[in-house]
Coordinates of all heavy atoms in Angstrom, one line a residue:
M7 N 0.8 -1.2 0.0 CA 0.0 0.0 0.0 C 0.9 1.2 0.0 O 0.7 2.1 -0.8 CB -0.9 0.0 1.2 CG -1.5 1.3 1.5 SD -3.3 1.3 1.2 CE -3.8 1.1 2.9
R8 N 1.9 1.2 0.9 CA 2.7 2.4 1.0 C 3.3 2.7 -0.4 O 3.3 3.9 -0.8 CB 3.8 2.0 1.9 CG 4.8 3.1 2.2 CD 5.8 2.5 3.3 NE 6.8 3.4 3.6 CZ 7.2 3.6 4.8 NH1 6.5 3.1 5.8 NH2 8.1 4.4 5.1
S9 N 3.8 1.7 -1.1 CA 4.5 2.0 -2.4 C 3.5 2.6 -3.4 O 3.8 3.4 -4.3 CB 5.2 0.8 -2.9 OG 4.3 -0.2 -3.1
V10 N 2.2 2.1 -3.3 CA 1.2 2.6 -4.2 C 1.1 4.1 -4.0 O 1.1 4.9 -5.0 CB -0.1 1.9 -4.0 CG1 -1.2 2.6 -4.8 CG2 0.0 0.5 -4.4
F11 N 1.0 4.6 -2.8 CA 0.8 6.0 -2.5 C 2.1 6.8 -2.9 O 2.0 7.9 -3.5 CB 0.5 6.2 -1.1 CG -1.0 6.0 -0.8 CD1 -1.3 4.9 0.0 CD2 -2.0 6.7 -1.3 CE1 -2.6 4.6 0.3 CE2 -3.3 6.5 -1.1 CZ -3.6 5.4 -0.3
V12 N 3.2 6.2 -2.7 CA 4.4 6.9 -3.1 C 4.5 7.1 -4.6 O 4.8 8.1 -5.1 CB 5.7 6.2 -2.5 CG1 7.0 6.8 -3.1 CG2 5.7 6.3 -1.0
L13 N 4.1 6.0 -5.3 CA 4.1 6.1 -6.8 C 3.1 7.1 -7.2 O 3.4 7.9 -8.1 CB 3.7 4.7 -7.4 CG 4.8 3.7 -7.5 CD1 4.3 2.4 -8.1 CD2 5.9 4.3 -8.4
L14 N 1.9 7.1 -6.6 CA 0.9 8.1 -7.0 C 1.5 9.5 -6.8 O 1.4 10.4 -7.7 CB -0.3 8.0 -6.0 CG -1.5 7.3 -6.5 CD1 -2.5 7.3 -5.4 CD2 -2.0 7.9 -7.8
A15 N 2.2 9.7 -5.7 CA 2.7 11.0 -5.4 C 3.8 11.4 -6.4 O 3.9 12.5 -6.8 CB 3.3 11.0 -4.0
I16 N 4.6 10.4 -6.8 CA 5.6 10.7 -7.8 C 5.0 11.1 -9.2 O 5.4 12.1 -9.7 CB 6.5 9.5 -8.0 CG1 7.4 9.2 -6.8 CG2 7.5 9.7 -9.2 CD1 8.2 7.9 -6.8
C17 N 4.0 10.4 -9.6 CA 3.4 10.7 -10.9 C 2.6 12.0 -10.9 O 2.6 12.7 -11.9 CB 2.5 9.6 -11.4 SG 3.0 8.0 -11.1
C18 N 1.9 12.2 -9.8 CA 0.9 13.2 -9.8 C 1.3 14.5 -9.1 O 0.5 15.5 -9.2 CB -0.4 12.7 -9.2 SG -0.8 11.1 -9.9
S19 N 2.4 14.5 -8.4 CA 2.6 15.6 -7.6 C 3.4 16.7 -8.3 O 4.5 16.5 -8.8 CB 3.5 15.2 -6.4 OG 4.1 16.3 -5.8
P20 N 2.8 17.9 -8.3 CA 3.6 19.0 -9.0 C 4.8 19.4 -8.1 O 5.7 20.0 -8.6 CB 2.6 20.2 -8.9 CG 1.3 19.7 -8.2 CD 1.6 18.3 -7.8
A21 N 4.8 19.0 -6.9 CA 6.0 19.3 -6.0 C 7.2 18.4 -6.3 O 8.2 18.6 -5.7 CB 5.6 19.2 -4.6
F22 N 7.0 17.5 -7.2 CA 8.1 16.6 -7.5 C 9.4 17.2 -8.1 O 10.4 16.7 -8.1 CB 7.7 15.4 -8.4 CG 8.7 14.4 -8.6 CD1 9.3 13.7 -7.5 CD2 9.1 14.0 -9.9 CE1 10.3 12.8 -7.7 CE2 10.1 13.0 -10.1 CZ 10.6 12.4 -9.0
A23 N 9.2 18.4 -8.5 CA 10.4 19.2 -9.1 C 11.5 19.3 -8.1 O 12.7 19.4 -8.5 CB 10.0 20.5 -9.5
G24 N 11.2 19.1 -6.8 CA 12.3 19.1 -5.8 C 12.7 20.6 -5.4 O 13.6 20.8 -4.7
E25 N 12.0 21.5 -5.9 CA 12.2 22.9 -5.6 C 11.1 23.4 -4.9 O 10.1 22.7 -4.6 CB 12.5 23.7 -6.9 CG 13.7 23.3 -7.6 CD 13.7 23.6 -9.1 OE1 12.7 24.4 -9.5 OE2 14.5 23.1 -9.8
T26 N 11.1 24.7 -4.5 CA 10.0 25.3 -3.8 C 8.8 25.4 -4.8 O 9.0 25.9 -5.9 CB 10.3 26.7 -3.3 OG1 11.5 26.6 -2.6 CG2 9.2 27.2 -2.4
S27 N 7.7 24.9 -4.4 CA 6.5 24.9 -5.2 C 5.6 26.0 -4.9 O 5.7 26.6 -3.8 CB 5.8 23.6 -5.1 OG 6.7 22.5 -5.2
S28 N 4.7 26.3 -5.8 CA 3.7 27.4 -5.5 C 2.8 27.0 -4.4 O 2.6 25.8 -4.2 CB 2.9 27.7 -6.8 OG 2.0 26.7 -7.0
S29 N 2.2 27.9 -3.7 CA 1.3 27.6 -2.6 C 0.1 26.8 -3.2 O -0.3 25.9 -2.5 CB 0.8 28.9 -2.0 OG 1.8 29.6 -1.4
D30 N -0.4 27.2 -4.3 CA -1.5 26.4 -4.9 C -1.2 25.0 -5.1 O -2.0 24.1 -4.8 CB -1.9 27.0 -6.2 CG -2.8 28.3 -6.0 OD1 -3.2 28.6 -4.9 OD2 -3.1 28.9 -7.0
A31 N 0.0 24.7 -5.6 CA 0.4 23.3 -5.9 C 0.5 22.6 -4.6 O 0.1 21.4 -4.5 CB 1.8 23.3 -6.6
L32 N 1.1 23.2 -3.5 CA 1.2 22.5 -2.3 C -0.1 22.3 -1.6 O -0.3 21.2 -1.1 CB 2.1 23.4 -1.3 CG 3.6 23.4 -1.7 CD1 4.4 24.3 -0.8 CD2 4.2 22.0 -1.7
I33 N -1.0 23.2 -1.7 CA -2.3 23.0 -1.1 C -3.0 21.9 -1.8 O -3.7 21.0 -1.2 CB -3.2 24.3 -1.1 CG1 -2.5 25.3 -0.1 CG2 -4.6 24.1 -0.8 CD1 -3.1 26.7 -0.2
N34 N -2.9 21.9 -3.1 CA -3.4 20.8 -3.9 C -2.9 19.4 -3.5 O -3.6 18.4 -3.3 CB -3.1 21.1 -5.4 CG -4.1 20.4 -6.3 OD1 -5.3 20.3 -5.9 ND2 -3.7 20.0 -7.4
L35 N -1.6 19.4 -3.3 CA -0.9 18.1 -2.9 C -1.4 17.7 -1.5 O -1.7 16.5 -1.3 CB 0.6 18.4 -2.8 CG 1.4 17.2 -2.3 CD1 2.7 17.0 -3.2 CD2 1.8 17.3 -0.9
V36 N -1.6 18.6 -0.6 CA -2.0 18.3 0.7 C -3.4 17.6 0.6 O -3.6 16.5 1.2 CB -2.1 19.5 1.7 CG1 -2.8 19.2 2.9 CG2 -0.6 19.9 2.0
H37 N -4.3 18.2 -0.1 CA -5.7 17.6 -0.2 C -5.7 16.4 -1.0 O -6.5 15.4 -0.7 CB -6.7 18.7 -0.6 CG -6.9 19.7 0.4 ND1 -7.8 19.6 1.4 CD2 -6.2 20.9 0.7 CE1 -7.7 20.6 2.2 NE2 -6.7 21.4 1.8
Q38 N -4.9 16.3 -2.1 CA -5.0 15.1 -2.9 C -4.2 13.9 -2.3 O -4.7 12.8 -2.1 CB -4.4 15.4 -4.3 CG -5.3 16.4 -5.1 CD -6.7 16.1 -5.2 OE1 -7.1 14.9 -5.5 NE2 -7.6 17.0 -5.1
D39 N -2.9 14.2 -2.1 CA -2.0 13.1 -1.7 C -2.1 12.8 -0.2 O -2.2 11.7 0.2 CB -0.5 13.5 -2.1 CG -0.3 13.5 -3.6 OD1 -0.1 12.5 -4.2 OD2 -0.5 14.6 -4.1
C40 N -2.0 13.8 0.6 CA -2.2 13.6 2.1 C -3.7 13.2 2.3 O -3.9 12.3 3.1 CB -1.9 14.8 2.9 SG -0.4 15.7 2.4
G41 N -4.6 13.8 1.5 CA -6.0 13.5 1.7 C -6.3 12.0 1.4 O -7.4 11.5 1.8
S42 N -5.5 11.3 0.6 CA -5.8 10.0 0.3 C -5.8 9.1 1.5 O -6.5 8.1 1.6 CB -4.8 9.4 -0.8 OG -3.5 9.4 -0.3
C43 N -5.1 9.5 2.5 CA -5.1 8.8 3.8 C -5.8 9.7 4.9 O -6.5 9.1 5.8 CB -3.7 8.6 4.3 SG -2.9 7.2 3.4
H44 N -5.6 11.0 4.9 CA -6.2 11.8 6.0 C -7.6 12.3 5.7 O -8.1 13.1 6.5 CB -5.2 12.9 6.3 CG -3.9 12.5 6.9 ND1 -3.8 12.2 8.3 CD2 -2.7 12.2 6.4 CE1 -2.5 11.8 8.5 NE2 -1.9 11.7 7.4
G45 N -8.1 12.0 4.5 CA -9.4 12.5 4.1 C -9.2 13.8 3.3 O -8.4 14.6 3.6
L46 N -10.1 14.0 2.3 CA -9.9 15.1 1.4 C -10.1 16.4 2.2 O -9.5 17.4 1.8 CB -11.0 15.1 0.3 CG -10.7 14.2 -0.9 CD1 -11.9 14.3 -1.9 CD2 -9.4 14.6 -1.6
T47 N -10.8 16.4 3.2 CA -10.9 17.6 4.1 C -10.0 17.6 5.3 O -10.1 18.4 6.2 CB -12.4 17.9 4.5 OG1 -12.8 16.7 5.3 CG2 -13.3 18.1 3.4
L48 N -9.1 16.5 5.3 CA -8.1 16.4 6.3 C -8.7 16.0 7.7 O -8.0 16.1 8.7 CB -7.2 17.6 6.4 CG -6.6 18.1 5.1 CD1 -5.7 19.3 5.3 CD2 -5.8 17.0 4.3
K49 N -10.0 15.7 7.7 CA -10.5 15.4 9.1 C -10.3 14.0 9.6 O -10.7 13.6 10.6 CB -12.0 15.7 9.1 CG -12.9 14.8 8.3 CD -14.4 15.3 8.4 CE -15.3 14.6 7.5 NZ -15.4 13.2 7.5
G50 N -9.5 13.2 8.8 CA -9.2 11.9 9.2 C -9.8 10.8 8.3 O -10.8 11.0 7.7
G51 N -9.1 9.7 8.2 CA -9.5 8.5 7.4 C -8.6 7.4 8.0 O -8.7 7.1 9.1
L52 N -7.8 6.8 7.1 CA -6.8 5.9 7.6 C -5.8 6.6 8.5 O -5.5 6.1 9.6 CB -6.0 5.3 6.4 CG -4.7 4.5 6.7 CD1 -5.1 3.2 7.4 CD2 -3.9 4.2 5.5
G53 N -5.4 7.8 8.2 CA -4.6 8.6 9.1 C -5.5 9.5 9.9 O -6.7 9.7 9.6
P54 N -5.0 10.1 11.0 CA -5.8 10.9 11.9 C -6.1 12.3 11.3 O -5.6 12.7 10.3 CB -4.9 11.1 13.1 CG -3.5 10.9 12.6 CD -3.6 10.0 11.4
D55 N -7.0 13.0 12.0 CA -7.4 14.4 11.7 C -6.1 15.2 11.7 O -5.3 15.2 12.7 CB -8.3 14.8 12.9 CG -9.0 16.2 12.7 OD1 -8.4 17.0 11.9 OD2 -10.0 16.4 13.3
I56 N -5.9 15.9 10.6 CA -4.7 16.8 10.6 C -5.1 18.3 10.4 O -4.4 19.0 9.7 CB -3.6 16.4 9.7 CG1 -4.1 16.1 8.2 CG2 -2.9 15.1 10.2 CD1 -3.0 15.9 7.2
R57 N -6.4 18.6 10.8 CA -6.8 20.0 10.7 C -6.1 20.8 11.8 O -5.6 20.3 12.8 CB -8.3 20.1 10.8 CG -9.0 19.5 9.5 CD -10.5 19.5 9.7 NE -10.8 18.6 10.8 CZ -12.1 18.3 11.1 NH1 -13.1 18.9 10.5 NH2 -12.4 17.5 12.1
P58 N -6.1 22.2 11.7 CA -5.3 23.0 12.7 C -5.6 22.7 14.1 O -4.6 22.6 14.9 CB -5.8 24.4 12.3 CG -6.1 24.3 10.8 CD -6.7 23.0 10.6
N59 N -6.8 22.5 14.5 CA -7.1 22.2 16.0 C -6.5 21.0 16.5 O -6.0 20.9 17.6 CB -8.6 22.1 16.2 CG -9.2 23.5 16.3 OD1 -8.5 24.5 16.4 ND2 -10.6 23.6 16.2
A60 N -6.4 20.0 15.6 CA -5.8 18.7 16.0 C -4.3 18.7 16.1 O -3.7 17.9 16.7 CB -6.2 17.6 15.0
L61 N -3.7 19.7 15.5 CA -2.2 19.8 15.4 C -1.7 20.9 16.2 O -0.5 21.2 16.2 CB -1.8 19.9 14.0 CG -2.1 18.7 13.0 CD1 -1.6 19.0 11.6 CD2 -1.5 17.4 13.5
S62 N -2.5 21.6 17.0 CA -2.1 22.8 17.6 C -1.0 22.6 18.7 O -0.3 23.6 19.0 CB -3.3 23.6 18.3 OG -3.9 22.7 19.2
H63 N -0.8 21.4 19.1 CA 0.3 21.1 20.0 C 1.7 21.0 19.3 O 2.7 20.8 20.0 CB 0.0 19.9 20.9 CG -0.3 18.6 20.1 ND1 -1.4 18.5 19.3 CD2 0.4 17.5 20.0 CE1 -1.4 17.3 18.7 NE2 -0.3 16.7 19.1
Y64 N 1.7 21.0 18.0 CA 2.9 20.9 17.3 C 3.4 22.3 16.8 O 2.6 23.2 16.7 CB 2.8 20.1 16.0 CG 2.6 18.6 16.2 CD1 1.5 17.9 15.7 CD2 3.6 17.9 16.9 CE1 1.3 16.6 15.9 CE2 3.4 16.5 17.0 CZ 2.3 15.8 16.6 OH 2.2 14.5 16.7
D65 N 4.7 22.4 16.6 CA 5.2 23.7 16.0 C 5.6 23.3 14.5 O 5.6 22.2 14.1 CB 6.3 24.3 16.8 CG 7.5 23.4 17.0 OD1 7.7 22.5 16.2 OD2 8.3 23.7 17.9
V66 N 5.9 24.4 13.8 CA 6.2 24.2 12.3 C 7.3 23.2 12.1 O 7.3 22.4 11.2 CB 6.4 25.6 11.6 CG1 7.1 25.4 10.3 CG2 5.1 26.3 11.5
S67 N 8.4 23.4 13.0 CA 9.5 22.5 12.7 C 9.3 21.0 13.0 O 9.7 20.2 12.3 CB 10.8 23.1 13.4 OG 11.1 22.4 14.5
T68 N 8.5 20.8 14.1 CA 8.2 19.4 14.4 C 7.3 18.8 13.3 O 7.5 17.7 12.8 CB 7.4 19.3 15.7 OG1 8.1 20.0 16.7 CG2 7.2 17.8 16.1
L69 N 6.3 19.6 12.8 CA 5.4 19.1 11.8 C 6.1 18.9 10.5 O 5.9 17.9 9.8 CB 4.3 20.1 11.6 CG 3.0 20.0 12.3 CD1 2.0 21.1 11.9 CD2 2.4 18.6 12.1
S70 N 7.1 19.8 10.1 CA 7.7 19.5 8.8 C 8.6 18.3 8.9 O 8.8 17.6 7.9 CB 8.5 20.8 8.3 OG 9.3 21.3 9.3
T71 N 9.2 18.0 10.1 CA 10.0 16.8 10.3 C 9.1 15.6 10.1 O 9.5 14.6 9.5 CB 10.6 16.8 11.7 OG1 11.4 17.9 11.8 CG2 11.5 15.6 11.8
I72 N 7.9 15.6 10.6 CA 6.9 14.5 10.5 C 6.6 14.3 9.0 O 6.7 13.1 8.5 CB 5.6 14.7 11.2 CG1 5.9 14.7 12.8 CG2 4.6 13.7 10.9 CD1 4.6 15.1 13.6
V73 N 6.4 15.4 8.3 CA 6.1 15.2 6.8 C 7.3 14.7 6.1 O 7.2 13.8 5.3 CB 5.7 16.6 6.3 CG1 5.5 16.5 4.8 CG2 4.3 17.1 6.9
L74 N 8.5 15.2 6.4 CA 9.7 14.8 5.7 C 10.1 13.3 6.0 O 10.5 12.6 5.1 CB 10.9 15.7 6.0 CG 10.8 17.1 5.4 CD1 11.9 18.0 6.0 CD2 11.0 17.0 3.8
D75 N 10.0 12.9 7.2 CA 10.5 11.6 7.6 C 9.4 10.6 7.9 O 9.7 9.4 8.1 CB 11.4 11.8 8.9 CG 12.6 12.6 8.6 OD1 13.1 12.6 7.5 OD2 13.1 13.3 9.5
G76 N 8.2 11.0 7.9 CA 7.1 10.0 8.2 C 7.1 9.6 9.6 O 7.9 10.2 10.4
I77 N 6.3 8.6 9.9 CA 6.3 8.1 11.3 C 6.6 6.6 11.2 O 5.8 5.9 10.6 CB 4.9 8.3 12.0 CG1 4.6 9.8 12.0 CG2 4.9 7.7 13.4 CD1 3.2 10.2 12.6
P78 N 7.8 6.2 11.7 CA 8.2 4.8 11.5 C 7.2 3.8 12.0 O 6.5 4.1 13.0 CB 9.5 4.8 12.3 CG 10.0 6.2 12.4 CD 8.7 7.0 12.4
D79 N 7.1 2.7 11.3 CA 6.3 1.6 11.7 C 4.8 1.9 11.6 O 3.9 1.3 12.2 CB 6.6 1.1 13.1 CG 8.0 0.6 13.2 OD1 8.5 0.0 12.2 OD2 8.7 0.8 14.2
T80 N 4.4 3.0 10.9 CA 3.0 3.3 10.6 C 2.9 3.5 9.1 O 3.9 3.6 8.4 CB 2.6 4.6 11.4 OG1 3.1 5.7 10.7 CG2 3.0 4.6 12.8
A81 N 1.6 3.8 8.7 CA 1.4 4.0 7.3 C 1.8 5.4 6.8 O 1.8 5.7 5.7 CB -0.1 3.8 7.0
M82 N 2.2 6.3 7.8 CA 2.6 7.6 7.4 C 3.9 7.6 6.7 O 4.9 7.3 7.4 CB 2.6 8.5 8.7 CG 3.1 9.9 8.5 SD 2.1 10.9 7.3 CE 3.2 12.2 7.0
P83 N 4.0 7.9 5.4 CA 5.2 7.7 4.7 C 6.1 9.0 4.8 O 5.6 10.1 5.0 CB 4.7 7.6 3.2 CG 3.4 8.3 3.2 CD 2.8 8.3 4.6
P84 N 7.4 8.8 4.5 CA 8.3 9.9 4.5 C 8.2 10.6 3.1 O 8.1 10.0 2.1 CB 9.7 9.3 4.6 CG 9.5 7.9 4.2 CD 8.1 7.5 4.3
W85 N 8.1 11.9 3.1 CA 8.0 12.7 1.8 C 9.3 13.3 1.4 O 9.3 14.0 0.3 CB 6.9 13.8 2.0 CG 5.5 13.1 2.2 CD1 5.0 12.6 3.4 CD2 4.6 12.8 1.2 NE1 3.8 12.0 3.2 CE2 3.5 12.1 1.9 CE3 4.5 13.1 -0.1 CZ2 2.3 11.7 1.2 CZ3 3.3 12.6 -0.8 CH2 2.3 12.0 -0.2
R86 N 10.3 13.1 2.1 CA 11.6 13.7 1.8 C 12.0 13.5 0.3 O 12.6 14.4 -0.3 CB 12.7 13.2 2.8 CG 13.9 14.1 2.8 CD 15.0 13.5 3.7 NE 14.7 13.7 5.1 CZ 14.8 14.9 5.8 NH1 15.3 15.9 5.1 NH2 14.5 15.0 7.1
P87 N 11.8 12.2 -0.2 CA 12.2 12.0 -1.6 C 11.4 12.8 -2.6 O 11.8 12.9 -3.8 CB 12.0 10.5 -1.8 CG 11.7 9.9 -0.5 CD 11.3 11.0 0.4
L88 N 10.3 13.3 -2.2 CA 9.3 13.9 -3.1 C 9.2 15.5 -3.0 O 8.6 16.1 -3.8 CB 7.9 13.4 -2.9 CG 7.8 11.8 -3.0 CD1 6.4 11.4 -2.7 CD2 8.2 11.4 -4.4
M89 N 9.8 16.0 -1.9 CA 9.6 17.5 -1.8 C 10.8 18.1 -1.0 O 11.5 17.4 -0.3 CB 8.3 17.8 -1.0 CG 8.3 17.3 0.4 SD 6.8 17.8 1.3 CE 5.5 16.9 0.5
S90 N 11.0 19.3 -1.2 CA 12.1 20.0 -0.6 C 11.7 20.3 0.9 O 10.6 20.3 1.3 CB 12.4 21.3 -1.3 OG 11.3 22.2 -1.2
E91 N 12.7 20.7 1.7 CA 12.5 21.1 3.1 C 11.6 22.3 3.1 O 10.8 22.5 4.0 CB 13.8 21.3 3.9 CG 14.5 19.9 4.0 CD 15.6 20.0 5.1 OE1 15.8 21.0 5.8 OE2 16.3 19.0 5.2
A92 N 11.9 23.2 2.2 CA 11.1 24.5 2.1 C 9.6 24.2 1.9 O 8.7 24.8 2.5 CB 11.6 25.4 1.0
D93 N 9.3 23.2 1.0 CA 8.0 22.8 0.7 C 7.3 22.2 2.0 O 6.2 22.5 2.3 CB 7.9 21.8 -0.4 CG 8.0 22.4 -1.8 OD1 8.1 23.6 -1.8 OD2 8.1 21.7 -2.8
A94 N 8.1 21.3 2.7 CA 7.5 20.7 3.9 C 7.2 21.7 4.9 O 6.2 21.6 5.6 CB 8.5 19.7 4.4
K95 N 8.0 22.8 5.0 CA 7.8 23.8 6.0 C 6.5 24.6 5.6 O 5.7 24.9 6.5 CB 9.0 24.8 6.0 CG 8.9 25.8 7.1 CD 10.3 26.4 7.4 CE 10.2 27.6 8.3 NZ 9.9 28.9 7.6
K96 N 6.3 24.9 4.3 CA 5.1 25.5 3.9 C 3.9 24.7 4.2 O 2.8 25.2 4.6 CB 5.2 25.9 2.4 CG 6.1 27.1 2.1 CD 6.2 27.4 0.6 CE 5.1 28.2 0.1 NZ 5.3 28.6 -1.3
I97 N 4.0 23.4 3.9 CA 2.9 22.5 4.2 C 2.6 22.5 5.7 O 1.4 22.6 6.1 CB 3.2 21.1 3.7 CG1 3.1 21.0 2.2 CG2 2.2 20.0 4.3 CD1 3.5 19.7 1.6
A98 N 3.6 22.5 6.6 CA 3.4 22.5 8.0 C 2.7 23.8 8.4 O 1.7 23.8 9.2 CB 4.8 22.4 8.7
E99 N 3.1 24.9 7.8 CA 2.4 26.2 8.1 C 0.9 26.1 7.6 O 0.0 26.6 8.3 CB 3.1 27.4 7.4 CG 4.3 27.8 8.2 CD 5.3 28.7 7.4 OE1 5.0 29.1 6.3 OE2 6.3 29.0 8.0
Y100 N 0.7 25.5 6.5 CA -0.7 25.4 6.0 C -1.5 24.5 6.9 O -2.6 24.9 7.3 CB -0.7 24.8 4.6 CG -2.0 24.5 4.0 CD1 -2.9 25.6 3.8 CD2 -2.5 23.2 3.8 CE1 -4.2 25.3 3.3 CE2 -3.8 23.0 3.3 CZ -4.6 24.0 3.1 OH -5.9 23.8 2.6
L101 N -0.9 23.4 7.4 CA -1.7 22.5 8.3 C -2.0 23.3 9.6 O -3.1 23.1 10.1 CB -0.9 21.3 8.6 CG -0.6 20.3 7.4 CD1 0.2 19.1 7.9 CD2 -1.9 19.8 6.8
L102 N -1.1 24.0 10.1 CA -1.3 24.7 11.4 C -2.3 25.8 11.3 O -3.1 26.1 12.2 CB 0.0 25.2 11.9 CG 0.9 24.2 12.7 CD1 2.2 24.9 13.2 CD2 0.1 23.7 13.9
H103 N -2.2 26.6 10.2 CA -3.0 27.8 10.1 C -4.2 27.6 9.2 O -5.1 28.5 9.1 CB -2.2 29.0 9.6 CG -0.9 29.2 10.5 ND1 -1.0 29.4 11.8 CD2 0.4 29.1 10.2 CE1 0.2 29.5 12.3 NE2 1.1 29.3 11.4
G104 N -4.3 26.5 8.4 CA -5.4 26.3 7.5 C -5.3 27.3 6.3 O -6.3 27.5 5.7
D105 N -4.2 27.9 6.1 CA -4.1 28.9 5.1 C -2.6 29.0 4.7 O -1.8 28.7 5.5 CB -4.6 30.2 5.7 CG -5.0 31.2 4.6 OD1 -5.0 30.8 3.4 OD2 -5.4 32.3 4.9
L106 N -2.4 29.5 3.5 CA -1.0 29.7 3.1 C -0.9 31.0 2.3 O -1.4 31.1 1.2 CB -0.6 28.5 2.2 CG 0.9 28.2 2.0 CD1 1.6 28.2 3.4 CD2 1.1 26.9 1.3
K107 N -0.2 31.9 2.9 CA 0.0 33.2 2.1 C 1.4 33.4 1.8 O 2.3 33.1 2.6 CB -0.6 34.3 3.0 CG -2.1 34.3 3.0 CD -2.7 34.7 1.7 CE -4.2 34.4 1.6 NZ -4.6 33.3 0.8
Ligands
HEC3 C1 -0.4 6.2 3.2 C2 -1.2 7.0 4.0 C3 -0.8 8.4 4.4 C4 -0.4 9.4 3.6 C5 -0.4 9.4 2.1 C6 -0.1 10.5 4.5 N1 -0.3 10.1 5.8 FE1 0.0 11.3 7.4 N2 -0.3 9.8 8.7 C7 -0.8 8.5 8.3 C8 -1.0 7.7 9.4 C9 -1.6 6.3 9.4 C10 -0.7 8.5 10.5 C11 -0.8 8.1 12.0 C12 0.5 7.4 12.4 C13 0.5 7.0 13.8 O1 -0.1 5.9 14.1 O2 1.0 7.7 14.7 C14 -0.3 9.8 10.0 C15 0.1 10.8 10.8 C16 0.4 12.1 10.4 C17 0.6 13.3 11.2 C18 0.7 13.3 12.7 C19 -0.6 13.5 13.3 C20 -0.6 13.6 14.8 O3 -1.7 13.9 15.4 O4 0.4 13.2 15.4 C21 0.8 14.3 10.4 C22 1.0 15.8 10.8 C23 0.6 13.9 9.0 N3 0.3 12.5 9.1 C24 0.6 14.7 7.9 C25 0.6 14.2 6.6 C26 0.8 15.0 5.5 C27 1.1 16.5 5.5 C28 0.8 14.2 4.4 C29 1.0 14.6 2.9 C30 2.3 15.2 2.6 C31 0.5 12.9 4.9 N4 0.4 12.9 6.2 C32 0.3 11.8 4.1 C33 -1.0 8.1 7.0 C34 -0.7 8.8 5.8

């Protein structure tokens, strides 16, 4: 299952360029790729609720590390091969604030 999602992310992700992506592309990725497990509205599915209220105990740097490295021994995959650290930080900010400016 994990490899299926990683493959999906490779083919379909505009962030695959490995550089900083536009906010629109990242928001799209969060809802499409992360949403495949966390739900399109991020309220939870296979993975837990990752809306701002559910993540308020995290800071941007902890969250971007979770996104980059995944959570070992769970279905949460590492995204480091697919996105830059700058992108992961922007995603973390989006998750925490529900907005990306
Ligand atoms: C293949 C399914 C899958 C995909 C795709 C996925 N996740 Fe997850 N994610 C999980 C699971 C399962 C967990 C819970 C792991 C655990 O048991 O601690 C999780 C946990 C998390 C957590 C920690 C939540 C908490 O309350 O501690 C965050 C944050 C997170 N994911 C963000 C993301 C983001 C952002 C993306 C997209 C870049 C993403 N996930 C893509 C399955 C996935």
Side-chain angles (χ1 to χ4, degrees):
M7 168 113 100
R8 183 178 177 132
S9 57
V10 172
F11 282 111
V12 171
L13 276 179
L14 260 182
I16 290 172
C17 318
C18 313
S19 161
F22 186 52
E25 292 155 13
T26 308
S27 308
S28 74
S29 297
D30 279 354
L32 288 177
I33 291 172
N34 204 33
L35 175 137
V36 166
H37 289 271
Q38 298 303 320
D39 294 274
C40 314
S42 61
C43 285
H44 291 278
L46 279 180
T47 58
L48 310 181
K49 70 180 168 57
L52 170 66
D55 188 338
I56 52 169
R57 289 173 297 180
N59 282 347
L61 298 178
S62 57
H63 55 292
Y64 288 124
D65 58 21
V66 166
S67 104
T68 309
L69 268 182
S70 51
T71 304
I72 293 175
V73 173
L74 286 170
D75 294 331
I77 302 178
D79 300 323
T80 75
M82 173 61 193
W85 293 83
R86 197 182 286 281
L88 305 176
M89 67 177 65
S90 65
E91 294 195 5
D93 281 356
K95 188 162 170 275
K96 285 177 81 174
I97 287 176
E99 280 165 5
Y100 175 66
L101 292 177
L102 276 180
H103 305 302
D105 202 3
L106 198 52
K107 287 289 168 252

